[in-house]
Amino acid sequence: MDSAIILFAHGSRDPKWREPIETIASSILSRAPERLVRCAYLELCAPTLPQAAAELVSRGAHRLKVFPLFLGVGKHAREDIPALLDEIRTAHPGIDIDLLPTIGESPQLIALIADLALF
């Protein structure tokens, strides 16, 4: 397996909070069962981003696509994620990492949220 996707979210102590993120991962797998997909969290639950990356690398991934599920581009997106990616690059020097824009930067999602609010 060459490429893997990490859905990266903030995290919560409440296990029900993770359900939407895990549902997205399940939806990706139902559309592309050959893909490696893992959820990861910044804090308060596991796995962390470095832990998820290590697992995917051990399963044969050579490229990681990190998709931050953050609505805003705040401190986590600007500072925490790049620092975590540096940590992963140090631990796995041969791995390519693609950092996707945060979900809140998606024009499609912004339009969908506006549509949902209007109904």
Side-chain angles (χ1 to χ4, degrees):
M1 177 56 56
D2 183 46
S3 180
I5 299 168
I6 300 176
L7 301 173
F8 185 57
H10 188 275
S12 171
R13 287 183 186 89
D14 184 347
K16 293 201 64 70
W17 178 91
R18 294 188 293 257
E19 287 178 7
I21 290 90
E22 292 167 358
T23 299
I24 295 168
S26 295
S27 181
I28 292 169
L29 285 172
S30 71
R31 295 174 186 202
E34 73 284 356
R35 295 299 294 268
L36 291 174
V37 180
R38 190 74 165 103
C39 300
Y41 305 97
L42 181 63
E43 57 188 21
L44 305 173
C45 52
T48 64
L49 185 56
Q51 289 168 339
E55 176 192 336
L56 292 166
V57 169
S58 75
R59 293 177 62 194
H62 298 287
R63 173 175 295 240
L64 303 175
K65 288 174 53 175
V66 178
F67 190 17
L69 301 182
F70 293 86
L71 286 177
V73 184
K75 180 183 179 292
H76 294 319
R78 286 190 325 270
E79 297 176 20
D80 297 335
I81 295 172
L84 289 167
L85 296 182
D86 287 344
E87 180 181 333
I88 294 166
R89 286 182 181 104
T90 299
H92 308 281
I95 301 301
D96 292 321
I97 302 173
D98 298 322
L99 177 61
L100 302 176
T102 65
I103 197 167
E105 296 175 87
S106 164
Q108 298 94 331
L109 181 66
I110 292 167
L112 176 61
I113 292 171
D115 289 345
L116 291 170
L118 288 169
F119 291 102

